[in-house]
Amino acid sequence: MRRPLILSALALLSLASPSAGATPAPASLTYGGANFRALAAESYRLAGLTGSFEPWLPNAYARAGVPLGGERRSLTAALDARKAALASARGAERDRLAQGTAAWAHRFIKKAVPRFSLERGFEFASIAGAGERQCLLQSVVIAGLLQRVGLDAGLVMVWKSQSGQESNLGHVTSVLRLPSGAGDVQVDASEPEPFARHQGVLAWADGGYRFLTPRFGGDVMTAYARADGKGNVKASALTFLDLPYVRSQFNYYRGERAPGGFLGTGTGKATPEGLRDSERFLRAALRDNPQNALAAGVLGSVQRKQGREAEARAQYLAAARLYAAQGHIPATMAVNLAWATGKTGQAGVGAAGVR
């Protein structure tokens, strides 16, 4: 889609943008905490698994041979020791220790869960049952481990990769905020090295979810520029994704990857039953967080595949308003928006670019 159409769509749709809201709390995902357990339990329930995810991670830690701090002890003991070390460290030493902890979490997850699966790896049940992970789940686990040792960590969506390739919010990464306040560091287990430099992220800033372009000093994001050109954001003013958004993304992936659903997972094509499952999970995602623009847009594509074109057009317009409020309309959304507004005869309903 040509850039002028995207810009004009932004200008028109911003007139109906949602008003700014109070800053939400970043998701508390502490390993062993109530939210971490609830996300895992939901995954187990949907997979029909009994038991709990709780024993899996310490058992995997014992097998992985990637000890935190270099000493052989239980995961809980290692995390407690690192938390104490971080609490007593100061200044640059504390930042160094925090980054070392993040690098360990990156190595541990890649070693403990060696396989990457777009189709199933977003489920806790897939880690325990098949040793498979995906960007959302690995980021939740990394952030949970970092929070467990007292560090400020969370999740952001990624819309522009390290190479500058844009996607429709096609990736998730965990982020560590350095204790000194010097900035934020991406910790991405989809990459071979611990610290990534994705060029576009989405998080909460300036009263809403925003598409942002980080400014880097080495591996550290020191500030962010709004993608809509409306100023800059200090690193300390960015808020990691809140729990409703994180929950929403789990349901988004369940909808996107439903067998026989939107992407035809497992069958090679969409089926009526699969599309119904996709719609069910996407609507759950929007109940979790009505501002999840990705879920809103893909719901329109599901409706279009079902032949419900009037509903699909309305849904695309609703999604585009969310994107416009957040500062950017991705190319795939712009193509679908053009179809919805009658500006082109053909338009794609392809995937969001998730990897």
Side-chain angles (χ1 to χ4, degrees):
M1 183 55 56
R2 292 188 298 272
R3 192 69 178 170
L5 175 58
I6 297 175
L7 293 175
S8 63
L10 278 169
L12 290 171
L13 289 166
S14 62
L15 297 175
S17 298
S19 58
T23 301
S28 174
L29 299 168
T30 303
Y31 166 62
N35 293 337
F36 191 97
R37 289 174 175 170
L39 291 171
E42 175 70 358
S43 179
Y44 271 48
R45 183 185 68 79
L46 290 171
L49 293 183
T50 59
S52 166
F53 181 76
E54 287 295 302
W56 188 89
L57 208 58
N59 290 337
Y61 177 76
R63 295 190 302 267
V66 186
L68 174 60
E71 296 184 27
R72 289 283 186 175
R73 49 185 145 190
S74 70
L75 177 59
T76 299
L79 293 171
D80 287 343
R82 182 51 56 94
K83 184 174 184 178
L86 282 161
S88 62
R90 296 292 181 270
E93 172 61 18
R94 194 175 184 206
D95 277 2
R96 185 196 66 77
L97 196 57
Q99 287 180 281
T101 308
W104 161 79
H106 176 273
R107 292 192 303 272
F108 167 49
I109 292 305
K110 290 179 77 69
K111 181 71 177 294
V113 194
R115 290 187 292 277
F116 192 90
S117 170
L118 291 171
E119 288 74 21
R120 299 171 299 275
F122 50 86
E123 297 286 9
F124 281 87
S126 292
I127 281 188
E132 295 174 334
R133 59 182 164 83
Q134 174 256 27
C135 61
L136 174 63
L137 182 53
Q138 70 194 16
S139 298
V140 167
V141 175
I142 288 173
L145 291 168
L146 296 179
Q147 289 183 13
R148 173 64 174 73
V149 299
L151 291 169
D152 187 358
L155 273 58
V156 299
M157 301 297 294
V158 174
W159 63 277
K160 190 182 291 186
S161 71
Q162 297 193 96
S163 65
Q165 181 178 0
E166 291 194 18
S167 70
N168 185 359
L169 297 173
H171 190 52
V172 187
T173 188
S174 50
V175 177
L176 164 69
R177 178 151 293 162
L178 295 177
S180 68
D184 304 329
V185 178
Q186 300 172 14
V187 188
D188 190 349
S190 291
E191 303 294 337
E193 299 300 323
F195 305 126
R197 300 184 191 179
H198 295 298
Q199 300 298 304
V201 302
L202 179 136
W204 187 276
D206 286 349
Y209 298 111
R210 306 291 179 204
F211 284 80
L212 304 165
T213 301
R215 293 180 177 175
F216 286 91
D219 290 328
V220 180
M221 297 182 288
T222 58
Y224 304 86
R226 287 179 52 162
D228 57 10
K230 296 182 179 179
N232 300 321
V233 178
K234 294 180 180 178
S236 60
L238 176 139
T239 299
F240 303 135
L241 296 175
D242 54 283
L243 186 62
Y245 201 113
V246 173
R247 273 201 304 253
S248 181
Q249 275 302 114
F250 275 103
N251 276 321
Y252 166 77
Y253 286 124
R254 289 166 184 146
E256 183 197 65
R257 298 287 171 172
F262 171 59
L263 292 182
T265 299
T267 62
K269 63 179 180 179
T271 65
E273 182 180 3
L275 288 172
R276 286 193 294 271
D277 286 340
S278 284
E279 179 175 5
R280 175 167 59 89
F281 282 118
L282 290 168
R283 290 196 181 279
L286 289 169
R287 287 194 298 273
D288 291 330
N289 192 324
Q291 295 188 65
N292 187 333
L294 177 57
V298 173
L299 176 58
S301 293
V302 169
Q303 292 169 331
R304 191 175 172 194
K305 281 178 177 283
Q306 291 172 317
R308 297 154 57 189
E309 292 197 351
E311 292 175 78
R313 292 178 195 276
Q315 186 61 41
Y316 280 151
L317 290 170
R321 283 192 289 272
L322 293 176
Y323 281 110
Q326 294 165 20
H328 177 67
I329 293 183
T332 52
M333 185 67 241
V335 170
N336 290 331
L337 177 60
W339 173 82
T341 55
K343 293 185 179 180
T344 181
Q346 298 293 327
V349 293
V354 177
R355 62 183 181 89

